[in-house]
Amino acid sequence: MPVTKYKPTSPARRFYDAYDFSDLDKKAPEKALIEGKHSKGGRNHHGRITSRFRGGGHKRTYRILDWKRNKIGVPALVAALEYDPNRTARIALLHYVDGTKTYILAPDGLAKGETIVSSKNADIKSGNAMPLRYIPTGTMIHNIEMKIGKGAQMVRSAGTAAQLMAKDGDYAQVRLPSSEVRLIHLDCRATIGQVSNIQHARVSLGKA
């Protein structure tokens, strides 16, 4: 994701960076894959403010993502790369050959028009998903399940990636972006590659 720099027309503008969305598709989100998202304004179920200074902002629509990648062996075409206001990473719209459409977290380097698949026999290619049992050690992965079949819960933020360090018995040693090493069952699924929008940490909204 390219980052745009601005001319220093004011003291704040001097340090201002912004995203350049030139590599994303300018289209409305897939209507069947969205749902309403209501702002709570920092209030709990009693209506009392429990988190201060929440409120306002742009109205958002929630995109429903496929965290499980359980359409085994069915190839999918990457139809579009889109912006998601609810997360730091970008999302990809998949068109499966059986007619199903889903959103997934877009890995870095995934391009429109590519074909990806979720299968234990898939190539070690960015965007393909498979159980840890069939991923070679040393591979960079993201979207990692913690419980078999529950769906991805770890390593989903922009620019992050974990590394499969070793396999011992029924468990794999996975080094997370925090450098913590965790044991994950070999039948848990993960996606090959690094999460998209690597430049997210570089974007600065300037200073007062």
Side-chain angles (χ1 to χ4, degrees), residues 65-70 143-154 156 184-185 187-190:
L65 268 65
D66 176 19
W67 299 113
K68 295 187 177 181
R69 298 291 299 274
N70 53 8
N143 252 20
I144 305 169
E145 285 185 334
M146 296 177 67
K147 293 184 178 180
I148 301 171
K150 187 175 182 179
Q153 291 180 274
M154 293 194 300
R156 308 193 317 192
I184 309 292
H185 199 280
D187 290 330
C188 288
R189 308 184 74 82

Side-chain angles (χ1 to χ4, degrees), residues 58-88:
H58 198 288
K59 190 173 182 180
R60 299 178 179 183
T61 303
Y62 185 77
R63 279 77 165 163
I64 303 169
L65 268 65
D66 176 19
W67 299 113
K68 295 187 177 181
R69 298 291 299 274
N70 53 8
K71 292 185 72 66
I72 309 301
V74 183
L77 178 73
V78 179
L81 296 173
E82 300 181 21
Y83 170 76
D84 188 347
N86 305 293
R87 61 192 75 253
T88 55

Side-chain angles (χ1 to χ4, degrees), residues 98-109:
D98 61 1
T100 308
K101 297 180 182 180
T102 62
Y103 277 125
I104 65 163
L105 211 59
D108 184 52

Side-chain angles (χ1 to χ4, degrees), residues 34-52:
I34 59 175
E35 61 184 20
K37 185 175 186 293
H38 300 284
S39 174
K40 296 179 180 178
R43 290 163 172 80
N44 63 6
H45 63 288
H46 293 300
R48 300 191 182 100
I49 292 179
T50 54
S51 298
R52 296 188 298 166

